[in-house]
Amino acid sequence: MKCIICNSLSASYFTTDFNIHFGGKLKNQLEKSEYYKCNSCGFTFSKDVYEMSQESWLELNVKAHSQGEAAPLKDRLTNQPPYLAQASMINMLIRDSIIYGGGGANVHNPNVNSQKCTLAKQQYNILDYAGGVGSLARILSKYYDIDVLVYEEYMSEFKNDGLVNYIQRDKLGKYDVVINSAMFEHITKREHLDHINSLVSEHGTLIVHTLVRENIPKNPNWFYIQPVHCSFHTNKSMQILMNDWGYSHSLYSPISKCWVMFKIDNPSCNKLERYAEDLNSKLQQNYFFYKKGFVDYWLD
């Protein structure tokens, strides 16, 4: 099989038995999965999931969601993304004029009192793609007065509570900021990734939460393996995506576990390094790591 990231040949790497892995608690989703690793960029993927029919893939996602974000906390087998930390990071980047969200123009106006700005909720040109039950959007709205749009394909039962601004696929456009939390590990086709990038404006920003390593461990019982986790990214594969999509600089926050990637012509690119240094000094911690290219924070 060929790698969907760099089109190089891949070879069988290991097989996970879900009758054993996680104590068999995920075997109702999938019994076994063989994983292939790209010989060039190291991107690793599930051959079994990639070869599923669309119907079987949708069914697997429904099962995974029912045991994940939609389940009570006590019944979940894995952790959810750090939504509060992500919301705090996004708010900080907006207030510091590093990312721009369109409708919240007053926030970037130095002549307007920031305390008064927080009294009026702002509608930003920001999309949370594959936003699930809207956890991040709800936090941003309630605690930071930032309203964002949410696109979600599967969690239809949560789309009618009136608290989240869901958008239909045929209404999607271009956004200054696109957020994608915990989806890059779920994709089965390169065009799925390309579609997410296509929603980012010419000078925009893409924020991604996923697991990225220098090398994917050859371990069938690796903690991150789940039936629905079928794609594992490396620093090299992410750099390839950045190059292909026209991003030149990035920040990484270990606290929010997010990469913030900036298009080549994004006006913030020339101030990111200094911004990260100054912010880290003010916060007295390494909140952001900066790199021209993809921040390869997680090494072996």
Side-chain angles (χ1 to χ4, degrees):
M1 296 182 71
K2 287 191 174 182
C3 172
I4 66 170
I5 304 298
C6 69
N7 207 36
S8 298
L9 289 176
S10 302
S12 181
Y13 197 36
F14 61 82
T15 298
T16 293
D17 185 347
F18 289 106
N19 290 295
I20 300 172
H21 187 48
F22 272 117
K25 293 179 180 178
L26 298 176
K27 65 183 179 180
N28 68 310
Q29 297 180 25
L30 190 68
E31 290 193 0
K32 289 186 178 182
S33 185
E34 182 181 11
Y35 294 87
Y36 274 55
K37 181 180 179 180
C38 175
N39 296 328
S40 178
C41 71
F43 177 77
T44 302
F45 58 94
S46 167
K47 177 177 180 290
D48 296 85
V49 173
Y50 273 40
E51 292 179 343
M52 279 183 178
S53 66
Q54 181 67 10
E55 182 180 1
S56 297
W57 170 237
L58 292 175
E59 182 181 350
L60 176 59
N61 273 273
V62 171
K63 289 180 179 179
H65 281 305
S66 67
Q67 287 187 270
E69 193 168 8
L73 286 174
K74 64 182 179 61
D75 297 330
R76 296 180 186 180
L77 301 177
T78 57
N79 295 326
Q80 291 300 107
Y83 292 121
L84 179 58
Q86 291 175 357
S88 177
M89 181 197 73
I90 291 167
N91 177 66
M92 188 182 302
L93 289 171
I94 290 175
R95 305 289 167 175
D96 290 343
S97 297
I98 298 299
I99 62 175
Y100 303 88
N106 285 344
V107 175
H108 309 298
N109 186 342
N111 297 317
V112 177
N113 186 295
S114 61
Q115 291 183 339
K116 291 181 180 179
C117 286
T118 60
L119 296 177
K121 191 169 291 186
Q122 302 290 337
Q123 175 66 63
Y124 290 88
N125 188 32
I126 297 176
L127 175 71
D128 184 5
Y129 188 96
V133 301
S135 299
L136 177 60
R138 293 168 196 268
I139 294 170
L140 283 169
S141 179
K142 182 172 182 178
Y143 297 106
Y144 297 103
D145 291 320
I146 297 172
D147 278 345
V148 303
L149 293 172
V150 178
Y151 171 73
E152 170 56 45
E153 188 170 348
Y154 300 107
M155 311 295 285
S156 58
E157 65 269 32
F158 292 92
K159 294 181 181 179
N160 298 315
D161 66 3
L163 300 177
V164 177
N165 298 320
Y166 283 104
I167 185 171
Q168 298 300 314
R169 188 179 183 90
D170 61 354
K171 302 295 184 181
L172 291 171
K174 292 281 188 179
Y175 303 91
D176 296 321
V177 180
V178 174
I179 307 161
N180 187 255
S181 192
M183 182 191 163
F184 267 48
E185 62 269 31
H186 293 255
I187 59 91
T188 58
K189 295 179 174 60
R190 172 61 185 260
E191 52 260 41
H192 296 164
L193 292 172
D194 291 337
H195 175 64
I196 297 171
N197 173 63
S198 73
L199 302 172
V200 182
S201 66
E202 183 181 0
H203 308 296
T205 307
L206 176 62
I207 299 176
V208 173
H209 165 82
T210 190
L211 186 146
V212 181
R213 289 174 53 106
E214 183 69 16
N215 293 290
I216 304 304
K218 191 176 185 179
N219 179 2
N221 294 313
W222 184 36
F223 82 98
Y224 204 59
I225 293 177
Q226 301 177 38
V228 78
H229 284 180
C230 55
S231 297
F232 305 110
H233 299 265
T234 64
N235 292 317
K236 187 173 181 180
S237 71
M238 290 298 293
Q239 182 63 64
I240 290 171
L241 289 176
M242 277 192 69
N243 293 342
D244 289 351
W245 293 341
Y247 296 89
S248 58
H249 299 70
S250 66
L251 297 171
Y252 178 71
S253 169
I255 294 174
S256 67
K257 294 182 171 60
C258 283
W259 280 269
V260 186
M261 297 182 283
F262 298 80
K263 291 281 192 177
I264 292 173
D265 295 325
N266 189 298
S268 291
C269 286
N270 60 5
K271 60 182 178 181
L272 289 176
E273 184 173 14
R274 180 64 181 270
Y275 171 71
E277 291 175 356
D278 289 347
L279 181 67
N280 291 346
S281 178
K282 291 174 182 176
L283 298 180
Q284 296 294 298
Q285 61 177 309
N286 289 320
Y287 186 86
F288 274 129
F289 290 81
Y290 160 83
K291 185 176 180 179
K292 185 177 181 179
F294 182 77
V295 179
D296 48 351
Y297 179 84
W298 295 101
L299 303 173
D300 292 339

PDB file of all heavy atoms in Angstrom, residues 32 48 62 143 147 173 258 294:
ATOM      1  N   LYS A  32      -9.543  -6.988  15.055  1.00  0.00           N
ATOM      2  CA  LYS A  32      -8.110  -6.900  14.785  1.00  0.00           C
ATOM      3  C   LYS A  32      -7.838  -5.817  13.755  1.00  0.00           C
ATOM      4  O   LYS A  32      -8.707  -5.472  12.958  1.00  0.00           O
ATOM      5  CB  LYS A  32      -7.548  -8.237  14.283  1.00  0.00           C
ATOM      6  CG  LYS A  32      -7.475  -9.332  15.325  1.00  0.00           C
ATOM      7  CD  LYS A  32      -6.767 -10.568  14.775  1.00  0.00           C
ATOM      8  CE  LYS A  32      -6.645 -11.646  15.853  1.00  0.00           C
ATOM      9  NZ  LYS A  32      -5.910 -12.845  15.357  1.00  0.00           N
ATOM     10  N   ASP A  48      -6.725  -2.341   7.670  1.00  0.00           N
ATOM     11  CA  ASP A  48      -8.095  -2.856   7.765  1.00  0.00           C
ATOM     12  C   ASP A  48      -9.119  -1.724   7.710  1.00  0.00           C
ATOM     13  O   ASP A  48     -10.146  -1.837   7.031  1.00  0.00           O
ATOM     14  CB  ASP A  48      -8.266  -3.650   9.063  1.00  0.00           C
ATOM     15  CG  ASP A  48      -7.391  -4.897   9.088  1.00  0.00           C
ATOM     16  OD1 ASP A  48      -6.214  -4.767   9.473  1.00  0.00           O
ATOM     17  OD2 ASP A  48      -7.878  -5.964   8.712  1.00  0.00           O
ATOM     18  N   VAL A  62     -19.675   5.737  14.731  1.00  0.00           N
ATOM     19  CA  VAL A  62     -20.813   5.850  15.647  1.00  0.00           C
ATOM     20  C   VAL A  62     -20.536   5.075  16.933  1.00  0.00           C
ATOM     21  O   VAL A  62     -20.779   5.568  18.042  1.00  0.00           O
ATOM     22  CB  VAL A  62     -22.098   5.346  14.970  1.00  0.00           C
ATOM     23  CG1 VAL A  62     -23.228   5.246  15.995  1.00  0.00           C
ATOM     24  CG2 VAL A  62     -22.507   6.263  13.829  1.00  0.00           C
ATOM     25  N   TYR A 143     -17.167  31.223  28.650  1.00  0.00           N
ATOM     26  CA  TYR A 143     -16.126  31.779  29.513  1.00  0.00           C
ATOM     27  C   TYR A 143     -15.265  32.852  28.852  1.00  0.00           C
ATOM     28  O   TYR A 143     -14.563  33.591  29.547  1.00  0.00           O
ATOM     29  CB  TYR A 143     -15.237  30.654  30.042  1.00  0.00           C
ATOM     30  CG  TYR A 143     -15.997  29.681  30.905  1.00  0.00           C
ATOM     31  CD1 TYR A 143     -16.338  28.414  30.429  1.00  0.00           C
ATOM     32  CD2 TYR A 143     -16.403  30.030  32.193  1.00  0.00           C
ATOM     33  CE1 TYR A 143     -17.054  27.523  31.206  1.00  0.00           C
ATOM     34  CE2 TYR A 143     -17.121  29.148  32.976  1.00  0.00           C
ATOM     35  CZ  TYR A 143     -17.442  27.896  32.486  1.00  0.00           C
ATOM     36  OH  TYR A 143     -18.153  27.026  33.256  1.00  0.00           O
ATOM     37  N   ASP A 147     -17.804  33.409  20.062  1.00  0.00           N
ATOM     38  CA  ASP A 147     -18.679  32.473  19.365  1.00  0.00           C
ATOM     39  C   ASP A 147     -18.011  32.004  18.078  1.00  0.00           C
ATOM     40  O   ASP A 147     -17.537  32.823  17.281  1.00  0.00           O
ATOM     41  CB  ASP A 147     -20.015  33.125  19.024  1.00  0.00           C
ATOM     42  CG  ASP A 147     -20.976  33.098  20.208  1.00  0.00           C
ATOM     43  OD1 ASP A 147     -20.715  32.333  21.160  1.00  0.00           O
ATOM     44  OD2 ASP A 147     -21.973  33.834  20.195  1.00  0.00           O
ATOM     45  N   GLY A 173     -17.454  27.690   4.150  1.00  0.00           N
ATOM     46  CA  GLY A 173     -16.747  28.641   3.299  1.00  0.00           C
ATOM     47  C   GLY A 173     -15.276  28.704   3.653  1.00  0.00           C
ATOM     48  O   GLY A 173     -14.641  27.681   3.902  1.00  0.00           O
ATOM     49  N   CYS A 258      -1.664  21.590  21.202  1.00  0.00           N
ATOM     50  CA  CYS A 258      -2.081  22.052  19.881  1.00  0.00           C
ATOM     51  C   CYS A 258      -0.907  22.656  19.107  1.00  0.00           C
ATOM     52  O   CYS A 258      -0.061  23.346  19.690  1.00  0.00           O
ATOM     53  CB  CYS A 258      -3.167  23.121  19.998  1.00  0.00           C
ATOM     54  SG  CYS A 258      -4.807  22.493  20.378  1.00  0.00           S
ATOM     55  N   PHE A 294       7.485  22.976  10.903  1.00  0.00           N
ATOM     56  CA  PHE A 294       6.644  22.272  11.886  1.00  0.00           C
ATOM     57  C   PHE A 294       7.424  22.071  13.177  1.00  0.00           C
ATOM     58  O   PHE A 294       8.541  21.563  13.177  1.00  0.00           O
ATOM     59  CB  PHE A 294       6.202  20.908  11.334  1.00  0.00           C
ATOM     60  CG  PHE A 294       5.292  20.146  12.265  1.00  0.00           C
ATOM     61  CD1 PHE A 294       3.959  20.496  12.384  1.00  0.00           C
ATOM     62  CD2 PHE A 294       5.783  19.102  13.029  1.00  0.00           C
ATOM     63  CE1 PHE A 294       3.107  19.812  13.246  1.00  0.00           C
ATOM     64  CE2 PHE A 294       4.945  18.400  13.899  1.00  0.00           C
ATOM     65  CZ  PHE A 294       3.615  18.765  14.005  1.00  0.00           C
TER      66      PHE A 294
END
